[in-house]
Amino acid sequence: STMQRHALSRALEKVGLKVSDLDLIFAGDLLNQCVGSSFALRESRIPFYGLYGACSTMGESLSLAALMLDGGYASCAAALTSSHFASAERQYRFPLGYGGQRTPTAQWTVTGSGCCIVGKSGHGPRIEAATIGKIQDYGIKDANNMGCAMAPAALATIKAHFADLHTG
């Protein structure tokens, strides 16, 4: 929660806005019920979409914010995410509490938070397109080898993105 509050505060400071200038907040983390995001944002009084896309949460929050702005439902939104090593592992992925040895393909979760302010106007990068990924199941059986399990979907999404942007 502290990391998310700091990331949001810093992003707003950089663009010269206050929390009250936001119409929507899209945020997520790796805890049950997005509890980190909920506690970080509970005092903001801004409508909040709690997202749980694990590794894709930042991309999901950015694309949803852009869609809401483009549709005229908001003029300024925050896209925010965080993760904390041992939060997801402790809950479901790899129970660390009993001291088991990590498998050679096990991934490590970052401890950090990031925030982008998405607005209809202003300077800086623009979101011009988004390609939503599709589930690709190639039968990977090792639940700890997330790279191998996620790579086919990532490759398919990247290919679709370039095809979408470079057609007719």
Side-chain angles (χ1 to χ4, degrees):
S1 295
T2 299
M3 288 188 302
Q4 281 200 8
R5 278 192 301 274
H6 178 72
L8 176 61
S9 173
R10 186 74 175 113
L12 287 166
E13 178 185 311
K14 285 185 172 191
V15 295
L17 297 174
K18 302 179 302 272
V19 171
S20 60
D21 294 321
L22 297 172
D23 298 312
L24 301 167
I25 299 175
F26 296 87
D29 54 73
L30 292 178
L31 299 172
N32 291 342
Q33 305 299 315
C34 293
V35 74
S37 302
S38 296
F39 279 107
L41 303 169
R42 67 183 170 183
E43 294 174 14
S44 74
R45 314 308 289 168
I46 304 299
F48 159 62
Y49 284 85
L51 307 175
Y52 187 87
C55 295
S56 67
T57 301
M58 193 64 194
E60 185 179 1
S61 64
L62 284 166
S63 64
L64 290 170
L67 287 166
M68 292 296 269
L69 270 64
D70 190 55
Y73 300 102
S75 60
C76 188
L80 176 63
T81 191
S82 69
S83 63
H84 189 281
F85 176 71
S87 60
E89 287 81 1
R90 183 173 54 245
Q91 289 186 1
Y92 63 88
R93 183 185 307 147
F94 189 78
L96 300 174
Y98 69 83
Q101 176 131 4
R102 295 178 65 84
T103 64
T105 58
Q107 309 293 308
W108 292 83
T109 302
V110 69
T111 296
S113 182
C115 180
C116 296
I117 305 302
V118 183
K120 285 191 157 218
S121 62
H123 304 287
R126 305 224 186 292
I127 300 172
E128 295 183 0
T131 299
I132 310 306
K134 296 177 184 175
I135 296 171
Q136 302 287 318
D137 186 354
Y138 286 90
I140 305 302
K141 303 292 185 211
D142 181 359
N144 290 304
N145 193 349
M146 293 185 297
C148 187
M150 293 165 42
L155 180 59
T157 302
I158 291 167
K159 285 182 179 178
H161 180 73
F162 284 116
D164 290 349
L165 290 180
H166 299 293
T167 57

